[in-house]
Amino acid sequence: MRVRTLVTAGGLALAGFGVALGTAGTASAAEYCTSGYACLYYNSDYKGAFYRQYFDIPNYAKYYFSASAAGSAGAGTAVKNNTASVDNWDFNFGIREYYNQNYTGAYQSISAGGAANLNSALKNDNASGKFY
């Protein structure tokens, strides 16, 4: 009886250890910019938290940065008026970052597959983004 109890306890311990190992990777998985998205970064030079944009957004107010492989600075912050750089992984369309909502005012174009720090008129002053 004692051997059976030890074997059962050992099996449960190993099973629990396996579950712990199996879930550890998902909690620390790094987020990257991927093909088809324009990634907006909280900091210059594509650093800090990011937002992956896949469609036109007339007002960034309800969209938020999340931690990325490049860091977590700015995670949870609204994208509107807080973007410093853009890395465009959409290889078919460029993206324009606009000063005002609804794609108006000053803008900066980032070509398909291109990347740039936002210029002084738009850095931390962007309100909308549209693919072209």
Side-chain angles (χ1 to χ4, degrees), residues 13-87:
L14 286 175
F17 185 68
V19 168
L21 286 178
T23 58
T26 58
S28 62
E31 294 288 335
Y32 294 92
C33 196
T34 54
S35 184
Y37 291 89
C39 291
L40 286 63
Y41 286 87
Y42 182 75
N43 289 328
S44 297
D45 300 321
Y46 331 107
K47 303 285 186 205
F50 76 146
Y51 174 75
R52 284 188 280 207
Q53 183 171 340
Y54 189 70
F55 50 86
D56 297 344
I57 299 177
N59 185 354
Y60 285 130
K62 295 181 183 178
Y63 298 87
Y64 299 88
F65 290 107
S66 60
S68 75
S72 61
T77 303
V79 173
K80 185 175 184 177
N81 297 329
N82 289 302
T83 300
S85 58
V86 178
D87 191 1

Side-chain angles (χ1 to χ4, degrees), residues 95-98 106-110 116-120 122:
I95 187 167
R96 286 190 177 121
E97 288 301 308
Y98 290 87
Y107 67 85
Q108 182 174 345
S109 299
I110 294 93
N117 287 319
L118 292 181
N119 62 39
S120 60
L122 291 169

